[in-house]
Amino acid sequence: MPYASNGGVDIWYEKHGEGPAIVFLHGRAGNGASWWRQVAAFSQTHTVITFDQRGFGRSPCDREAFTAGTLASDVAAVLDATDTPRAALVSQSMGGISAMRFARDYPERISGLLVSSSMAGVVPMDIRRRLAELERANTISLPDRAFAPGYSGREPALYELYKQILSFNTVFDPAWRARIAGPEQSFGPNDFDNYTVPTVFIVGAHDQFFPPVFVHEVAAWVPGAKVVDIPDVGHSPYWENPEGFDRVVTDWLDRNAIW
């Protein structure tokens, strides 16, 4: 299996297809396998790169090696290993933090940024407090919280597949999230001075982690960013409505990507 190395951690990746490159970045409940339908769809017209972020799936690491500072450089390491000078990034949930850090640190290597179901590390204190209130009131855990209400009954086989992919993450500890998403890692308005990367936020109407109202608020901090709302889905539009999600990605890239 192919690996890219960064800071002593081996990052597993896959590359499919030919054409303009797209890198897909998974969330906390997933790994590179989460994008199976996007790989099949986009590899017909694009080079598609997926990888298990450090600490997930086939890219194990120690707690001390899981830091915000490595997220962007891991993406760069995978691009280097695949001889990819430039790519669009499509991210989901935690992957949005990695993608935004890469967009800020390597703007010359990114064709466009799509952030789904995430605030991409842009979490001002007032929103952080409101999210904490939602968290305290929450009684739903993964994997149910990853979907719109009732998804497990509507799609039992796909729900089970999601659970199986989640089970591959045998090393990652959810408590590690604080190492990349705490207040000290949050981006502020000054972090986007001279920011010119074409950016869109995608959010499901029933997202139980980051409701649309929060995503719209933080998107306003990112120069030129737009928001696309997808109805009838929750935190995982790429999984719940892959055709609709892929259509948003394709249309946006066709209009905005700088290949």
Tab-separated table of all heavy atoms in Angstrom, residues 207-236:
chain	number	residue	atom	x	y	z
A	207	ASP	N	-28.159	19.299	10.076
A	207	ASP	CA	-26.860	19.010	10.697
A	207	ASP	C	-26.987	19.158	12.210
A	207	ASP	O	-27.320	20.236	12.717
A	207	ASP	CB	-25.794	19.967	10.152
A	207	ASP	CG	-24.384	19.520	10.491
A	207	ASP	OD1	-24.155	19.067	11.630
A	207	ASP	OD2	-23.502	19.637	9.619
A	208	GLN	N	-26.697	18.070	12.937
A	208	GLN	CA	-26.823	18.072	14.391
A	208	GLN	C	-25.521	18.429	15.103
A	208	GLN	O	-25.501	18.523	16.337
A	208	GLN	CB	-27.318	16.702	14.869
A	208	GLN	CG	-28.672	16.318	14.283
A	208	GLN	CD	-29.174	14.985	14.785
A	208	GLN	OE1	-29.575	14.849	15.943
A	208	GLN	NE2	-29.143	13.971	13.919
A	209	PHE	N	-24.453	18.629	14.358
A	209	PHE	CA	-23.208	19.118	14.935
A	209	PHE	C	-23.059	20.625	14.726
A	209	PHE	O	-22.812	21.361	15.678
A	209	PHE	CB	-22.009	18.389	14.316
A	209	PHE	CG	-21.771	17.016	14.840
A	209	PHE	CD1	-22.299	15.910	14.190
A	209	PHE	CD2	-21.015	16.813	15.977
A	209	PHE	CE1	-22.077	14.628	14.661
A	209	PHE	CE2	-20.789	15.538	16.476
A	209	PHE	CZ	-21.322	14.438	15.814
A	210	PHE	N	-23.197	21.054	13.476
A	210	PHE	CA	-23.012	22.462	13.123
A	210	PHE	C	-24.235	22.936	12.331
A	210	PHE	O	-24.243	22.888	11.098
A	210	PHE	CB	-21.734	22.642	12.298
A	210	PHE	CG	-20.504	22.110	12.973
A	210	PHE	CD1	-19.792	21.059	12.422
A	210	PHE	CD2	-20.067	22.644	14.172
A	210	PHE	CE1	-18.657	20.554	13.040
A	210	PHE	CE2	-18.933	22.147	14.808
A	210	PHE	CZ	-18.232	21.103	14.241
A	211	PRO	N	-25.272	23.377	13.015
A	211	PRO	CA	-26.478	23.835	12.326
A	211	PRO	C	-26.173	24.937	11.322
A	211	PRO	O	-25.214	25.692	11.475
A	211	PRO	CB	-27.356	24.347	13.474
A	211	PRO	CG	-26.886	23.590	14.682
A	211	PRO	CD	-25.406	23.428	14.479
A	212	PRO	N	-26.975	25.027	10.271
A	212	PRO	CA	-26.713	26.003	9.206
A	212	PRO	C	-26.503	27.424	9.693
A	212	PRO	O	-25.686	28.154	9.119
A	212	PRO	CB	-27.957	25.886	8.320
A	212	PRO	CG	-28.410	24.474	8.497
A	212	PRO	CD	-28.133	24.154	9.932
A	213	VAL	N	-27.213	27.847	10.735
A	213	VAL	CA	-27.068	29.228	11.190
A	213	VAL	C	-25.630	29.535	11.581
A	213	VAL	O	-25.113	30.628	11.301
A	213	VAL	CB	-28.036	29.521	12.370
A	213	VAL	CG1	-27.740	28.641	13.573
A	213	VAL	CG2	-27.987	30.997	12.738
A	214	PHE	N	-24.939	28.576	12.197
A	214	PHE	CA	-23.550	28.789	12.591
A	214	PHE	C	-22.634	28.829	11.370
A	214	PHE	O	-21.701	29.635	11.304
A	214	PHE	CB	-23.091	27.695	13.552
A	214	PHE	CG	-23.811	27.681	14.865
A	214	PHE	CD1	-24.413	26.525	15.325
A	214	PHE	CD2	-23.904	28.826	15.646
A	214	PHE	CE1	-25.084	26.497	16.532
A	214	PHE	CE2	-24.574	28.811	16.857
A	214	PHE	CZ	-25.171	27.647	17.305
A	215	VAL	N	-22.890	27.941	10.419
A	215	VAL	CA	-22.050	27.891	9.221
A	215	VAL	C	-22.166	29.197	8.439
A	215	VAL	O	-21.159	29.748	7.966
A	215	VAL	CB	-22.423	26.682	8.351
A	215	VAL	CG1	-21.636	26.693	7.039
A	215	VAL	CG2	-22.168	25.374	9.111
A	216	HIS	N	-23.360	29.722	8.321
A	216	HIS	CA	-23.534	30.993	7.615
A	216	HIS	C	-22.792	32.117	8.328
A	216	HIS	O	-22.209	32.996	7.675
A	216	HIS	CB	-25.018	31.324	7.495
A	216	HIS	CG	-25.710	30.604	6.380
A	216	HIS	ND1	-25.875	31.158	5.124
A	216	HIS	CD2	-26.264	29.359	6.316
A	216	HIS	CE1	-26.517	30.299	4.350
A	216	HIS	NE2	-26.757	29.202	5.044
A	217	GLU	N	-22.794	32.104	9.648
A	217	GLU	CA	-22.105	33.155	10.403
A	217	GLU	C	-20.594	33.122	10.163
A	217	GLU	O	-19.976	34.155	9.912
A	217	GLU	CB	-22.404	33.021	11.896
A	217	GLU	CG	-23.799	33.468	12.291
A	217	GLU	CD	-23.990	33.459	13.795
A	217	GLU	OE1	-23.068	33.881	14.521
A	217	GLU	OE2	-25.068	33.024	14.251
A	218	VAL	N	-19.988	31.939	10.247
A	218	VAL	CA	-18.534	31.882	10.108
A	218	VAL	C	-18.098	32.052	8.661
A	218	VAL	O	-17.001	32.567	8.395
A	218	VAL	CB	-17.955	30.578	10.701
A	218	VAL	CG1	-18.307	30.458	12.171
A	218	VAL	CG2	-18.419	29.354	9.944
A	219	ALA	N	-18.932	31.637	7.720
A	219	ALA	CA	-18.571	31.813	6.313
A	219	ALA	C	-18.385	33.289	5.988
A	219	ALA	O	-17.589	33.642	5.104
A	219	ALA	CB	-19.632	31.202	5.412
A	220	ALA	N	-19.098	34.153	6.687
A	220	ALA	CA	-18.975	35.592	6.455
A	220	ALA	C	-17.597	36.120	6.835
A	220	ALA	O	-17.214	37.212	6.411
A	220	ALA	CB	-20.055	36.337	7.228
A	221	TRP	N	-16.850	35.366	7.623
A	221	TRP	CA	-15.497	35.771	8.005
A	221	TRP	C	-14.485	35.500	6.887
A	221	TRP	O	-13.397	36.083	6.886
A	221	TRP	CB	-15.040	34.994	9.240
A	221	TRP	CG	-15.706	35.375	10.515
A	221	TRP	CD1	-17.019	35.710	10.719
A	221	TRP	CD2	-15.081	35.439	11.799
A	221	TRP	NE1	-17.246	35.971	12.031
A	221	TRP	CE2	-16.084	35.816	12.726
A	221	TRP	CE3	-13.797	35.210	12.256
A	221	TRP	CZ2	-15.825	35.971	14.093
A	221	TRP	CZ3	-13.520	35.358	13.611
A	221	TRP	CH2	-14.527	35.738	14.517
A	222	VAL	N	-14.832	34.605	5.964
A	222	VAL	CA	-13.886	34.156	4.939
A	222	VAL	C	-14.145	34.949	3.659
A	222	VAL	O	-15.217	34.844	3.067
A	222	VAL	CB	-14.046	32.650	4.670
A	222	VAL	CG1	-13.043	32.183	3.623
A	222	VAL	CG2	-13.880	31.859	5.975
A	223	PRO	N	-13.187	35.747	3.216
A	223	PRO	CA	-13.411	36.612	2.049
A	223	PRO	C	-13.896	35.839	0.826
A	223	PRO	O	-13.279	34.862	0.406
A	223	PRO	CB	-12.029	37.219	1.800
A	223	PRO	CG	-11.371	37.209	3.141
A	223	PRO	CD	-11.840	35.947	3.797
A	224	GLY	N	-15.015	36.279	0.291
A	224	GLY	CA	-15.549	35.693	-0.931
A	224	GLY	C	-16.267	34.378	-0.770
A	224	GLY	O	-16.780	33.839	-1.762
A	225	ALA	N	-16.324	33.829	0.434
A	225	ALA	CA	-16.923	32.505	0.613
A	225	ALA	C	-18.435	32.542	0.421
A	225	ALA	O	-19.108	33.506	0.773
A	225	ALA	CB	-16.597	31.957	1.999
A	226	LYS	N	-18.960	31.464	-0.143
A	226	LYS	CA	-20.388	31.273	-0.319
A	226	LYS	C	-20.843	30.089	0.537
A	226	LYS	O	-20.025	29.307	1.027
A	226	LYS	CB	-20.728	30.995	-1.789
A	226	LYS	CG	-20.174	32.029	-2.767
A	226	LYS	CD	-20.766	33.403	-2.546
A	226	LYS	CE	-20.246	34.392	-3.580
A	226	LYS	NZ	-20.746	35.781	-3.319
A	227	VAL	N	-22.166	29.972	0.715
A	227	VAL	CA	-22.745	28.834	1.435
A	227	VAL	C	-23.813	28.194	0.569
A	227	VAL	O	-24.646	28.889	-0.017
A	227	VAL	CB	-23.360	29.263	2.778
A	227	VAL	CG1	-23.914	28.037	3.518
A	227	VAL	CG2	-22.344	29.996	3.644
A	228	VAL	N	-23.777	26.864	0.476
A	228	VAL	CA	-24.815	26.096	-0.212
A	228	VAL	C	-25.510	25.225	0.825
A	228	VAL	O	-24.866	24.414	1.501
A	228	VAL	CB	-24.237	25.218	-1.335
A	228	VAL	CG1	-25.333	24.350	-1.943
A	228	VAL	CG2	-23.580	26.073	-2.402
A	229	ASP	N	-26.816	25.397	0.967
A	229	ASP	CA	-27.614	24.586	1.887
A	229	ASP	C	-28.224	23.415	1.122
A	229	ASP	O	-28.816	23.605	0.053
A	229	ASP	CB	-28.733	25.431	2.488
A	229	ASP	CG	-28.210	26.571	3.350
A	229	ASP	OD1	-28.009	26.337	4.549
A	229	ASP	OD2	-28.002	27.683	2.816
A	230	ILE	N	-28.089	22.214	1.669
A	230	ILE	CA	-28.679	21.023	1.058
A	230	ILE	C	-29.820	20.547	1.949
A	230	ILE	O	-29.607	20.239	3.132
A	230	ILE	CB	-27.636	19.910	0.876
A	230	ILE	CG1	-26.500	20.388	-0.039
A	230	ILE	CG2	-28.286	18.662	0.294
A	230	ILE	CD1	-25.457	19.337	-0.336
A	231	PRO	N	-31.037	20.478	1.428
A	231	PRO	CA	-32.183	20.081	2.253
A	231	PRO	C	-32.213	18.583	2.524
A	231	PRO	O	-31.556	17.791	1.847
A	231	PRO	CB	-33.381	20.498	1.394
A	231	PRO	CG	-32.876	20.405	-0.014
A	231	PRO	CD	-31.426	20.825	0.047
A	232	ASP	N	-32.945	18.209	3.555
A	232	ASP	CA	-33.288	16.805	3.833
A	232	ASP	C	-32.109	15.933	4.211
A	232	ASP	O	-32.217	14.700	4.183
A	232	ASP	CB	-34.008	16.174	2.623
A	232	ASP	CG	-35.262	16.947	2.233
A	232	ASP	OD1	-35.970	17.409	3.139
A	232	ASP	OD2	-35.505	17.094	1.020
A	233	VAL	N	-30.968	16.520	4.562
A	233	VAL	CA	-29.821	15.737	5.016
A	233	VAL	C	-29.270	16.357	6.297
A	233	VAL	O	-29.603	17.487	6.657
A	233	VAL	CB	-28.705	15.654	3.951
A	233	VAL	CG1	-29.205	14.975	2.690
A	233	VAL	CG2	-28.155	17.042	3.618
A	234	GLY	N	-28.402	15.598	6.965
A	234	GLY	CA	-27.798	16.071	8.185
A	234	GLY	C	-26.333	16.394	8.016
A	234	GLY	O	-25.938	17.088	7.083
A	235	HIS	N	-25.508	15.812	8.889
A	235	HIS	CA	-24.088	16.134	8.960
A	235	HIS	C	-23.274	15.467	7.861
A	235	HIS	O	-22.097	15.795	7.692
A	235	HIS	CB	-23.559	15.703	10.334
A	235	HIS	CG	-22.176	16.150	10.648
A	235	HIS	ND1	-21.813	17.482	10.738
A	235	HIS	CD2	-21.036	15.442	10.903
A	235	HIS	CE1	-20.540	17.570	11.040
A	235	HIS	NE2	-20.037	16.361	11.139
A	236	SER	N	-23.876	14.543	7.115
A	236	SER	CA	-23.124	13.765	6.129
A	236	SER	C	-23.789	13.807	4.759
A	236	SER	O	-24.177	12.763	4.209
A	236	SER	CB	-22.981	12.310	6.595
A	236	SER	OG	-22.425	12.241	7.888
